[in-house]
Amino acid sequence: MHIVLELLLLVGIIIYSYLESLVKFFIPRRRKSVAGQTVLITGAGHGIGRLTAYEFAKRKSRLVLWDINKRGVEETAAECRKLGAIVHVFVVDCSNRMEIYNSVDQVKKEVGDVEIVVNNAGAIYPADLLSTKDEEITRTFEVNILGHFWIIKALLPSMLRRNSGHIVTVASVCGHGVIPYLIPYCSSKFAAVGFHRALTAELETLGKTGIKTSCLCPVFVNTGFTKNPSTRLWPVLETSEVARSLIDGILTNKKMIFVPSYISISLVLEKFLPERALKAISRIQNIQFEAIVGHKTKMK
């Protein structure tokens, strides 16, 4: 009898959730303020990280910027200061666990507790599997997912004590679907999406609902890391557009941020389409970018 009641309750929850989503679609979500909050952004010397730093600077957040590229992160910091933000710069290799731990300790001493962390640093090596060097595979995972573990393990205790904070995982649409010649990258981004979902569930189980989580999943972004990307069905995004979508998702506590938003619909459809149809869609999509195939650079 209990299982019947629970199933009826489940149906009611599903119906209510759909109605709630429909209402929220037409009513703008309330945005929180990040003014004065300490925001740590990794990979802040270029691309999405740099433009995200600008968005937080405009909102008067206090910024802690990490990047392995000293010149790049200092250029970002200079622009953020022009926008009126207080900025602290650290040169950090997000593939190095001890360097991450030591840098977090330094941030705590010099700046204080981090309230928002944007795990944005990434690595990508477009190539077929046999042309991908072992050290490139290792670095892809060290930066794209293992670095997330070390950073969050170091920052989470203070968030748990306060039951407050926001953890942002920058993943990719490649964390939901695969693209040839990006096997290590896709695998690491699947792991990043899994990290976000599992961490979100664990925080809810612990009753730490004041700690929010978001996961950014854009399609190809014009950052220069992937050369000459093009597709027929997706746009190639500019970093400014992605950063605006990310900051909007953070301010509204959105858990999964797809850019463009309609990509989420196509990913749902993929779960129901037969394999032959998916292959046909892939041919129509005609995703291309420069990759090393057979140790030669080609458009693939």
Side-chain angles (χ1 to χ4, degrees), residues 108 113 156-164 208 211:
K108 289 178 179 177
D113 288 337
L156 190 57
S158 64
M159 291 185 179
L160 290 173
R161 285 195 300 272
R162 302 190 314 269
N163 189 23
S164 176
K208 300 297 181 178
I211 304 174

Side-chain angles (χ1 to χ4, degrees), residues 58 62 67 84 87 94 113 127 139-140 147 157-158 193 236 270 299:
K58 293 172 187 174
R62 182 163 58 167
D67 202 285
V87 187
C94 287
D113 288 337
R139 183 168 179 79
T140 298
S158 64
V193 172
V236 175
E270 282 186 7
M299 284 293 293

Side-chain angles (χ1 to χ4, degrees), residues 33-41 56-57 59-66 85-88 90 104 106-118 155 158-159 162 164-168 250:
S33 172
V34 292
Q37 293 198 354
T38 301
V39 183
L40 190 157
I41 304 173
F56 276 109
R59 290 163 176 81
K60 308 307 177 187
S61 301
R62 182 163 58 167
L63 297 174
V64 178
L65 305 181
W66 284 15
I86 297 172
V87 187
H88 304 266
F90 296 82
V104 169
Q106 191 177 354
V107 169
K108 289 178 179 177
K109 290 175 184 176
E110 297 181 10
V111 184
D113 288 337
V114 171
E115 292 154 291
I116 301 173
V117 55
V118 181
L155 295 176
S158 64
M159 291 185 179
R162 302 190 314 269
S164 176
H166 202 132
I167 298 168
V168 181
I250 293 170

Side-chain angles (χ1 to χ4, degrees), residues 18-46:
Y18 274 114
L19 290 173
E20 183 182 41
S21 297
L22 183 63
V23 171
K24 287 182 177 179
F25 181 80
F26 293 101
I27 300 176
R29 294 187 181 188
R30 184 178 179 182
R31 283 162 169 71
K32 64 185 180 184
S33 172
V34 292
Q37 293 198 354
T38 301
V39 183
L40 190 157
I41 304 173
T42 68
H46 181 80

